[in-house]
Amino acid sequence: MSTPLLVQALAALSVPALAGATALGLRVRRGDRRAAAREDGLRARVAELETRCAELERTASCDPLTGVWNYRHLQLTLDREIERARRAEHTEQHDGPRPLAVLLLEIAGFDAVVAEHGRARANAVLRDLAQRLGMEIRRSDTFGRYSGEEFLAVLPDTGAGGAAQVAERLVWSVRRHLLLDWSSGPREDRRPQGNGLTAAVGVAVLPEDGTHAAVLLRAADRALARARASGGDCWHGTASPRSRTGPAAERDRSEKPGSLSPCAGEDPLTSPVTPPLPAIVAGPRDVLS
């Protein structure tokens, strides 16, 4: 066969092959685009599901009335912090677990608020006050609603002295908090007469008062009962003779000042705290702790 005829034969045979290759390339490119679109869609769906999961987790851990942490989150946090404090006894140069304080706070006086303004507005007052109290602790601490008008604060790396300062601040904040005012005129300043609300706080400290969540909570509840029996507007510790304070226990404690509550006694946790009073900051602009 001559060369020109061979070239013509090869050209005739290559046309279908070239057309097939072109079609195959187009199908491959279309398939790649569809796969990329599906991948983008899956990424967007995963991001949406992660957002919804985070929202559900936050909702499950947040008290719907006050906006602070709820009972479930407080229990999980307390168990985790106790385990961390006890584990530090074996991994760090400590003669015992790292300190951990638990403050159980009960607010009294809401019956008068309900009678004067109704339940809906009383709930708004409770939310406003709860978020204000949440601002009195560090970011590493946890503050939430324990039940009804009771709140719990979990303070890692905090001994008796630091817990006493926080208890003072919480009692003072409840006593001096400016209640929400729904009147159309100027906001009334009730500070000279008080706002009608008081707080009783019970303080328990790990390891002096126990090394398990249930034991610490019972100790804090007993201390709260003592503060309540003293007339409220005060705080009490557990009166444990082994209570102690020290630089290591307070190394991370905030130096924010508090005020002296009317509680008194032999309890080491009721020793005077004399820094100046904090400035009054209150109102609906308070943010979630």
Side-chain angles (χ1 to χ4, degrees), residues 37-66:
R38 285 196 298 271
E39 186 176 355
D40 291 341
L42 289 174
R43 286 200 183 99
R45 182 60 175 166
V46 168
E48 180 184 358
L49 290 176
E50 288 177 346
T51 301
R52 290 186 178 183
C53 183
E55 179 66 19
L56 288 174
E57 184 177 357
R58 186 195 66 81
T59 302
S61 300
C62 185
D63 178 61
L65 176 60
T66 61

Side-chain angles (χ1 to χ4, degrees), residues 1-14:
M1 181 180 294
S2 63
T3 301
L5 292 176
L6 182 59
V7 171
Q8 291 177 2
L10 291 175
L13 292 174
S14 65

Side-chain angles (χ1 to χ4, degrees), residues 76-153:
L76 294 175
T77 300
L78 181 57
D79 289 338
R80 183 180 65 249
E81 292 297 339
I82 288 177
E83 180 61 27
R84 187 175 73 91
R86 296 174 63 185
R87 188 166 58 246
E89 181 178 6
H90 305 287
T91 59
E92 300 180 11
Q93 297 298 322
H94 288 284
D95 56 356
R98 299 179 69 174
L100 172 71
V102 173
L103 276 62
L104 188 58
L105 178 147
E106 182 181 61
I107 301 175
F110 264 95
D111 291 342
V113 178
V114 174
E116 182 178 357
H117 299 290
R119 174 59 62 181
R121 289 185 172 181
N123 288 341
V125 170
L126 184 62
R127 176 183 176 87
D128 182 56
L129 180 55
Q131 296 195 15
R132 179 69 186 92
L133 293 175
M135 297 176 66
E136 290 294 335
I137 62 175
R138 305 166 301 180
R139 286 186 176 273
S140 59
D141 300 333
T142 302
F143 179 84
R145 189 183 184 198
Y146 193 67
S147 67
E149 292 156 11
E150 288 186 348
F151 295 85
L152 183 72

